[in-house]
Amino acid sequence: GEDVEQSLFLSVREGDSSVINCTYTDSSSTYLYWYKQEPGAGLQLLTYIFSNMDMKQDQRLTVLLNKKDKHLSLRIADTQTGDSAIYFCAESPDNYGQNFVFGPGTRLSVLP
Amino acid sequence: KAGVTQTPRYLIKTRGQQVTLSCSPISGHRSVSWYQQTPGQGLQFLFEYFSETQRNKGNFPGRFSGRQFSNSRSEMNVSTLELGDSALYLCASSLTASGTQYFGPGTRLLVL
């Protein structure tokens, strides 16, 4: 079955870049997503990338996709204290449904 | 445009009771999905509805059920509550059956 893995913790200094990594197993996923969750809140969509793309940039966010290695990364430039949150990687299934498979989430701590 | 809304936001129940949670999708969205989030299991897919039909169901017991109304609003029901059902229940809506999902703030259920 599908499985998505992420490292659980990442700590960076304010102003540095953060890179959050994710590996997935379903090579037929059409889209891969990044969501952010702040304490006590739901999931906020950050960005997504279509499976036939290698890179997508959206302001401070850069998504890189290595389809051969099934590796996805999210780079946050100039990380701010407001970026402290849990970041989830998710893959959409090959049945064009909505039963996304989420990783365990990476807790990003931004130190002043 | 208003986002996904979920009611109630917090709920306390006792074992053996049943509970109904409600989700109103973004206006115009026809697909609604439900997820359970717990510290131990992470985010797990419950079910997905599109145009009042259940399209996919996750690996949960039959005590978990849902439905979608003609106005796309959705409810999920959990009968005979167990302590392990304590979780954050998240609803997500999508414009199409295979589109990007936007999440609500969740309903936090505590079973005592």
Side-chain angles (χ1 to χ4, degrees):
Chain A
E2 301 103 349
D3 194 19
V4 178
E5 295 184 355
Q6 301 177 240
S7 51
L8 298 182
F9 301 97
L10 177 65
S11 184
V12 300
R13 291 269 175 208
E14 192 173 15
D16 288 349
S17 291
S18 308
V19 179
I20 301 171
N21 295 300
C22 167
T23 57
Y24 61 97
T25 55
D26 189 354
S27 58
S28 57
S29 290
T30 48
Y31 286 94
L32 294 142
Y33 296 84
W34 285 103
Y35 286 87
K36 175 184 178 183
Q37 186 176 37
E38 296 182 70
L43 271 66
Q44 174 195 349
L45 176 67
L46 285 178
T47 187
Y48 60 90
I49 188 166
F50 189 50
S51 57
N52 69 352
M53 296 171 65
D54 297 325
M55 186 182 90
K56 180 179 179 181
Q57 188 149 4
D58 185 359
Q59 298 182 333
R60 292 191 298 126
L61 304 179
T62 302
V63 178
L64 295 177
L65 175 61
N66 181 328
K67 203 169 178 185
K68 175 176 166 288
D69 294 338
K70 296 180 190 168
H71 183 266
L72 182 73
S73 68
L74 174 70
R75 178 177 178 269
I76 306 173
D78 187 26
T79 312
Q80 302 297 307
T81 54
D83 294 324
S84 292
I86 301 176
Y87 291 79
F88 292 92
C89 162
E91 61 175 350
S92 63
D94 61 358
N95 62 358
Y96 297 96
Q98 296 289 286
N99 47 323
F100 286 12
V101 177
F102 285 84
T106 299
R107 184 179 295 273
L108 174 64
S109 297
V110 183
L111 307 172
Chain B
K1 207 183 244 189
V4 178
T5 58
Q6 293 187 244
T7 57
R9 292 293 312 278
Y10 304 93
L11 208 47
I12 300 176
K13 292 284 187 179
T14 55
R15 274 181 301 173
Q17 287 187 309
Q18 74 162 17
V19 67
T20 299
L21 311 182
S22 181
C23 171
S24 292
I26 294 171
S27 177
H29 284 198
R30 294 169 61 195
S31 172
V32 173
S33 298
W34 290 88
Y35 292 82
Q36 181 196 64
Q37 186 179 27
T38 59
Q41 299 297 315
L43 279 152
Q44 292 187 288
F45 171 78
L46 279 157
F47 25 65
E48 167 202 349
Y49 289 89
F50 182 79
S51 294
E52 301 178 68
T53 300
Q54 188 180 88
R55 293 185 71 229
N56 284 297
K57 189 176 192 303
N59 190 24
F60 278 83
R63 300 185 296 108
F64 291 81
S65 63
R67 58 178 175 168
Q68 186 181 33
F69 301 96
S70 58
N71 62 358
S72 294
R73 191 178 69 84
S74 177
E75 288 181 347
M76 68 163 279
N77 184 276
V78 189
S79 62
T80 319
L81 284 165
E82 300 177 0
L83 296 179
D85 297 333
S86 294
L88 180 67
Y89 290 88
L90 292 162
C91 166
S93 78
S94 173
L95 186 63
T96 64
S98 58
T100 300
Q101 293 188 65
Y102 297 89
F103 283 79
T107 294
R108 189 165 295 278
L109 171 65
L110 178 61
V111 182
L112 301 175

